[in-house]
Amino acid sequence: MADWYDKYLTIYGKPFSEVPQEVIDGTRERLADLQSDKPLASIVLIAYNEETHLQACLWAISEIKCNYPVEIIGVDNNSTDRTAEIYQKSGIPYYTEYQRSCGYARRCGLHHSRGKYYFDVDTDTLYPPQYYEIMLETLMKPGVVAVSSLWSYFPNASHGKLGLKLYELCRDTFLWIQHFKRPELSVRGLVFAYDAELGKKEEYRVDIICGEDGSMALSLKKYGRIEFIRDYRARAITSDETFGHQSLWENFVHRVKIQGKGIARIFYATDHYEDSEGNLIK
């Protein structure tokens, strides 16, 4: 049986020159139809040298099923490839952030967003059709200030479907247990949405190399709940580049060692944490 993302994989990872014109034109037309002058939610893509992924991400977003008005905008983090050209040909508004980091790029997108709710989008990631509607309906519940979903990895010759499912099951179980007391530690930027007004009040950190989304979640949780969504229809899918050259088993062992250090932390809520020296931008 075909997976929902199979057709997007026909161009995922390929240079823009190999994308069929009918895909570019169709994506542009559908994105234009989705754009609202009074958006309830802002879907904000950030990209740095994502020529081989951005069009596939836009194609998937152009086919979302959402009963709520949205706007779709992009941020080009001063790319040197054809990222800006892809944004131009998609027809969506986009902005250039010249200071390179996810924190600066997300901050740029947040400042230009108009929706009551803000969706982070990583452009090497694909989102299923009902992702935004499911996330939004949870986000609009009383007392909820942010939501985070789950994600899978594309199977390939190095990492098969069964192995990935087992790996993801272990990871998802840990994230679910962790989210009760430390939801900010279970948040990942590729599947994160929140109240935009509160986000603009707190701001993204730009003094750290990574973890800007977890830091935003930490700042937001004093205003209300961060919900963790396990609905498979809201499960994004992305590449396994974070594994590097490690096998699934090697990566699993590595993660267990990292999370095992100070494991008791997940059972105690906190409103702050100390940055590691290596994660600070000098």
Side-chain angles (χ1 to χ4, degrees):
M1 186 175 68
D3 291 305
W4 64 267
Y5 53 82
D6 283 351
K7 64 179 178 180
Y8 309 122
L9 290 185
T10 60
I11 63 168
Y12 187 92
K14 293 183 178 180
F16 190 52
S17 59
E18 296 182 20
V19 176
Q21 189 62 43
E22 59 264 29
V23 170
I24 299 171
D25 293 342
T27 298
R28 182 186 182 97
E29 291 170 7
R30 289 187 298 272
L31 287 171
D33 289 341
L34 285 169
Q35 297 282 26
S36 171
D37 290 332
K38 297 180 179 179
L40 177 65
S42 298
I43 298 171
V44 184
L45 300 83
I46 64 167
Y48 170 65
N49 285 354
E50 290 287 359
E51 176 190 344
T52 61
H53 301 134
L54 178 55
Q55 184 63 53
C57 180
L58 286 164
W59 184 5
I61 290 174
S62 77
E63 296 186 329
I64 65 173
K65 309 297 181 186
C66 187
N67 289 321
Y68 304 98
V70 300
E71 68 169 352
I72 301 153
I73 64 176
V75 176
D76 173 24
N77 204 187
N78 202 22
S79 300
T80 57
D81 63 2
R82 299 178 72 179
T83 292
E85 180 185 349
I86 297 170
Y87 274 138
Q88 290 168 3
K89 291 187 175 180
S90 76
I92 68 170
Y94 78 97
Y95 307 89
T96 303
E97 172 53 62
Y98 293 98
Q99 298 190 79
R100 285 183 185 162
S101 81
C102 286
Y104 278 113
R106 296 210 195 278
R107 178 181 284 189
C108 175
L110 180 59
H111 284 178
H112 286 99
S113 67
R114 296 176 297 155
K116 176 177 174 58
Y117 303 106
Y118 180 95
F119 278 83
D120 279 343
V121 174
D122 282 3
T123 45
D124 62 352
T125 302
L126 303 178
Y127 298 84
Q130 291 178 280
Y131 172 82
Y132 297 99
E133 187 167 88
I134 291 169
M135 294 277 277
L136 257 177
E137 287 179 344
T138 300
L139 192 49
M140 290 189 290
K141 291 180 179 179
V144 176
V145 295
V147 293
S148 188
S149 186
L150 293 166
W151 70 100
S152 292
Y153 298 104
F154 298 120
N156 54 36
S158 300
H159 305 126
K161 270 191 174 182
L162 179 59
L164 284 170
K165 284 186 180 298
L166 292 172
Y167 176 90
E168 290 163 8
L169 176 62
C170 294
R171 180 205 62 197
D172 296 350
T173 301
F174 175 78
L175 292 176
W176 180 71
I177 294 170
Q178 180 175 251
H179 98 279
F180 288 104
K181 292 293 187 180
R182 301 294 302 276
E184 71 279 1
L185 297 179
S186 290
V187 162
R188 296 296 184 277
L190 75 165
V191 285
F192 184 42
Y194 55 87
D195 184 304
E197 182 179 349
L198 295 177
K200 290 173 182 177
K201 182 177 180 180
E202 292 297 331
E203 283 286 20
Y204 276 107
R205 290 184 61 183
V206 294
D207 60 333
I208 50 179
I209 298 170
C210 61
E212 75 286 344
D213 295 297
S215 179
M216 173 63 83
L218 181 69
S219 298
L220 291 175
K221 74 176 187 178
K222 61 177 173 283
Y223 299 105
R225 302 193 314 278
I226 299 174
E227 292 287 343
F228 195 58
I229 296 175
R230 296 170 63 84
D231 191 321
Y232 199 80
R233 296 171 299 166
R235 192 180 188 98
I237 190 161
T238 192
S239 73
D240 61 358
E241 290 179 2
T242 55
F243 290 169
H245 298 294
Q246 292 180 322
S247 67
L248 278 175
W249 176 249
E250 289 171 332
N251 192 271
F252 177 77
V253 172
H254 175 67
R255 297 292 178 184
V256 168
K257 288 180 178 177
I258 290 176
Q259 298 297 343
K261 296 177 180 178
I263 190 65
R265 72 187 183 282
I266 71 172
F267 301 109
Y268 301 95
T270 185
D271 59 0
H272 73 282
Y273 60 84
E274 298 296 326
D275 295 298
S276 65
E277 193 68 25
N279 194 43
L280 294 173
I281 295 176
K282 306 299 184 184

